[in-house]
Amino acid sequence: ERVKRTVDAAWNVFKGFPPYQSEQVIQAESYGVRIKAKPDIYVLDCNGPALHDLKVSDQIGDRAFVRSAREYRYWLQDAHYCGTVGAALGINPLQIPFRFWTVESVPPYRVHWREYDELSRQKAHDEWRLILESYAEALESDIWESARSNTITVRDWELRHSDTEEVVWTEAA
C-alpha cells in the first residue's frame, strides 16, 4: 500500500507534463568519449528538452535532500544527463532544465522539486568536462591513474554496536 501511494503521488505530478519518454537511453559523443544517460523523465517538445529525476525519501525536507545531494553528487548527475542530451541534440547543456523531484514515501506523500542555480550548474558542467577529458586521455594512453587513497579510516560512529545508542549528526563545515 505504501509503495502504491508513493507511486500515485509521483504520477499525479507527471500526468500533467507534456508527452514525455520514460527511461529512454540517450547516447552521444562529448569531449572525445562515447556517453549515455537514462533520465527518469525526458520531455522533448516545442520548448526544447527538459529532464526530470525522481527521488523517493521518507524525509522531504531541505536538510535531508541536501545531505543526499552531496553524498550522491546530484550535481554530477545533472551535468552528465544534460551534457549527454545537449551533445545528442547539438545544444548548450546549460539551457536544458533539470529538476529533481522528491516523493515522500510516508503519509502525506508530498512531492517537491528542486534544481541547482545557474552558477552551480556551470561549475558542475566544468567539472564534468574535466572528468570526461581525463577519461578520454586514459582511454588514449591506457594509463589509469587514481587520486584515491589506499587507506581506510573507521569513523567513531561506525563502531557503535548498540541500536539504542543515539548517533548525533552534524553538518560539515
Side-chain angles (χ1 to χ4, degrees), residues 150-167:
N150 293 325
T151 304
I152 302 170
T153 303
V154 175
R155 295 179 182 93
D156 289 340
W157 61 266
E158 293 177 288
L159 299 175
R160 306 231 184 233
H161 298 288
S162 169
D163 291 337
T164 61
E165 291 180 339
E166 183 178 344
V167 177

Side-chain angles (χ1 to χ4, degrees), residues 29-45:
E29 186 164 319
S30 188
Y31 303 107
V33 177
R34 189 87 183 135
I35 54 176
K36 57 182 160 179
K38 187 176 178 182
D40 290 341
I41 302 290
Y42 174 53
V43 176
L44 184 57
D45 63 9

Side-chain angles (χ1 to χ4, degrees), residues 32-89:
V33 177
R34 189 87 183 135
I35 54 176
K36 57 182 160 179
K38 187 176 178 182
D40 290 341
I41 302 290
Y42 174 53
V43 176
L44 184 57
D45 63 9
C46 62
N47 297 314
L51 302 175
H52 304 271
D53 190 71
L54 186 61
K55 305 292 184 195
V56 178
S57 176
D58 60 351
Q59 297 178 27
I60 199 167
D62 291 338
R63 195 169 176 181
F65 182 84
V66 168
R67 184 173 42 245
S68 289
R70 285 182 182 146
E71 181 176 353
Y72 298 111
R73 301 190 305 175
Y74 290 174
W75 58 268
L76 185 57
Q77 180 184 3
D78 178 333
H80 179 71
Y81 284 24
C82 291
T84 303
V85 171
L89 299 177

Side-chain angles (χ1 to χ4, degrees), residues 82-102:
C82 291
T84 303
V85 171
L89 299 177
I91 61 175
N92 180 347
L94 297 173
Q95 300 303 310
I96 301 171
F98 189 100
R99 287 188 175 166
F100 295 95
W101 294 82
T102 306

